[in-house]
Each structure stands twice: as structure tokens, then as C-alpha cells.
Amino acid sequence: MIDSHGLKKRDLYLQKLIAFQDTEQVKVVTGIRRCGKSSLLKLMVAHLKENGVADNQIIEMNFESYAFKDMTTDDFYNYVKERILPDKRMYLFFDEIQRVNKWEDAVNSFRVDFNCDIYVTGSNAYMLSSEYSTYLSGRCIEVKMLPLSFSEFLYFHDFDVIESASAFGGVRKQVKDKNGGVYDLNEAFGAYMRFGGMPGIAEVGLEQEKAMMLLEGIYSTVIMRDILERENRRGGKRITDPILLKKIVLFLADNIGSNISVSSIGNVLANEGLLEDWRKESPSAHTVSLYVNALSEAYFFYEIKRFDIKGKEYLRTLGKYYIVDIGLRNYLLGFRDRDSGHALENVVYFELLRRGYDVSIGKIDNMEIDFIATKADDKVYIQVTESMASENVRQRELAPLRKVNDNYEKIVLSLNQGLDSSYDGIKSVNVIDWLLG
């Protein structure tokens, strides 16, 4: 569905906001820049208006706008106070609020002083750091927004999935565009793996040059505004070397899904000669850790920890990193097939997050399970591979799952699941079907 303002719906997130409408909690929407947070606020505003809330009960401020440049906390408070209707319920929407120094003071005052419902967005995780939580402990709800899922990607690009009976039995899935053209579903998935899920791609179209320009703009904005500028604005001088930052970004992007020790990144970069123009010695583990943390705070990379299934504890060593959008990785590294298995893992990891799972890597003896996904009383063990057609690959993927002796679901996701739909109770599922499920 498209709302009356021409915005594509993101129901997964909009329904979360609606569920907390008119509750005391401040609704905080977080996520990487350009993933759709501003549009989500606009969708919520449209929802309120459709349900009888008057225009003058809604105050919207986007702190990326020049109109609010260099606004102080006092300016912010006074601007809102002047627009409050004393006898009405007010709805306050603040976009990219982290650009206001000590914004949490103002927001806490609005909550105390006025009859209002508050929604904010931010592109950096430090806005929910300990300083903020002391102000609004237990009084905020975080909605974590991600780029488009494969299902959303099809919807944003005006594709519908159509099913028909296959000539060889079973069901054949294809996609149809708004002009009636019909394409293979695998072809559409290939486009998703190439261009990624940034909503802006739908506006420029699936043209490589335009898409890469858009992704370059997103990358530059994240690096400059949310990492380099942000450190300076907070009075810190820690993230000061854009060359080192870029090298670490490239290293992490190149090694998604690989076991990584942050302390070794600097040594690897130095050994590969990638830092020879930067300085003679490799950067300290502490320095690298600060840079990696800044990238995580900007929602550019997500860390996943390892869990010892037999020891029932998280391990402190050798976690993995995944990049928030596979299109951004292709922009950084170029298009290539040599590690497409890790790219597929990357897509599955973020789909599990969208579905509300806590995700870790599973270690069992000397073997590894790609993902253990848990929520409430539900748990699922998942392996991801490109194909289950080869006997060697089948045995490699099934072996760690066979070692787990509980009764939770075990799945292997692949683009080619082979002829069998299960192996000793372990399901073999087509990853595209799973993503659309």
C-alpha cells in the first residue's frame, strides 16, 4: 500500500509505532542514515491525521534542515513551547535529533511539562547511551530500523510475486513488474544481492551507475556526519584519521562472516601493506577498537558473538561482523562472486534481526553453526550455503547440526537445496522462499 502522501508503507515498523501511540514512552527510531526513518515518521504523521488528529496538534522538526542549524537546547525547548496548544494532546516528531547538543534535556522536559506523545529518530547508537538512559530510564521504546528486506525490495520496485503450476509438478514463482513484464524470481533476487535494500535505490531505478552514486552519498554521509564530525562535536578527538577509518571499513566489508579479532585487524592491515602510507607501525588494538565501535554505533556494521552450545556461554573471542546493506558492500569492494556465500549469510542475518530474533554464532566442539536464532521460547539453528547439490557440501553443512541434540528446529538455507527436503529431520529450504515467507 501507498499512503496519501505517496510514501511506500513499511508496516513492520509502522505497526510498532502505532502499538505504542499515546503511551508515556518516547518512541526512538534508530538505524543507518537513509534507511527510511524520516519516511517512517511521515507515515506515522499521516496515520494520526487519518485518525482525526489536527495539523496544529503535530509539531515536526528535522534537524538536518538548515532552519534548525546550530539550535541550542534552550532554542529547541522554546520553539516547541511556543507551538504547544495547552488544551490539546500534542504529537512531537524530531528527526536526526542527535544533532542537538543535550537534546535529551529538552525531550525530558517536554515529557514532564506538556501533554504530548514524542517520536524521535537518530543515526547513531550513542544517543541511547548511558547518559540518555539515566534521563529516560524505562521511558523509551527503541524501534530498530533496517534497509529493505527482499520482500520489501520487490514491493518498493513495484514487483509482484506470481505463482503458477510448473510443467514438471510443483509451483513456479516469478515476478511481474507494473508494466506486465514477467521475470524469473532468481533474477530479482540477483538484483537485490547487487543493489541492496536502501530505499533510495527505488527512486533512481536499478541502474548501476545511479545506484552506486546514491550508495556513495550514503557512505560519505555516514562517515563524515556520524563518525568524523560527531566525534569533533562531542569534544572528542578519537576518530581523527579518515584514511585509517576507510581501511578498516574495507577490511570489515571484505571479511563479513569471517571470525575476526579486533586486536589483529591493525596487524593484518600492516602486514598486507595497506597502512604503509599511513604510518610505519600498526595502530594499537585500542585505536582499532575505537574505530570499529564508531562504525557499529553508526549502524554500518553489526557484531555477532559466538555461543558455546555445550558450555552454554558466550565466548569473548572471534566474533563476526556483517554489513548493514549488501549494496554498500558492493559499492565499497566492487561486484564479485568469490565470496557470495558470505554475502548470502549477510542477508539471512539481517532478515533474522527483522523477524525479532537474537542471533549468535554457534560453536559445538570444533565445528560452527552459522546462526542460532532465539526469541521467547523459540529457537532455530541455521546453516547457510549456496548449494546442497554436492555430497561434500551436504555433509559439511549437516555435521554441526547433527551434533546438536535438542528438539529445536534445524534448517539449511541455500539457493539450490538439492533433491531432498530434509535430512534426518534437518530441513533443506530454498533461501528465497524463506526470505519471502
Side-chain angles (χ1 to χ4, degrees), residues 55 196 372 420:
D55 287 4
I372 308 173
D420 294 303

Side-chain angles (χ1 to χ4, degrees), residues 19-27 89 116-118 141:
F20 284 93
Q21 180 186 331
D22 290 319
T23 61
E24 186 192 2
Q25 287 100 334
V26 176
K27 276 63 72 176
R89 175 75 162 167
C116 63
D117 193 18
I118 305 173
I141 179 78

Side-chain angles (χ1 to χ4, degrees), residues 15 20 67 100 120 141 144 153 174 199 213 232 279 291 317-318 326 328 334 356 362 371 392 420 436:
Q15 293 307 319
F20 284 93
V100 179
V120 307
I141 179 78
K144 299 174 182 178
F153 171 86
Q174 296 172 293
M213 285 175 65
N232 293 336
R279 56 165 86 156
Y291 280 60
T317 56
L318 295 178
I326 210 70
L328 281 168
F371 302 119
N392 286 341
D420 294 303
L436 294 175

Side-chain angles (χ1 to χ4, degrees), residues 419-431:
L419 295 175
D420 294 303
S421 59
S422 70
Y423 303 86
D424 307 323
I426 299 168
K427 292 180 186 174
S428 177
V429 178
N430 179 280
V431 68

Side-chain angles (χ1 to χ4, degrees), residues 166-178:
S166 165
F168 306 101
V171 174
R172 181 185 185 198
K173 287 184 180 176
Q174 296 172 293
V175 294
K176 183 169 74 171
D177 67 20
K178 60 185 176 185

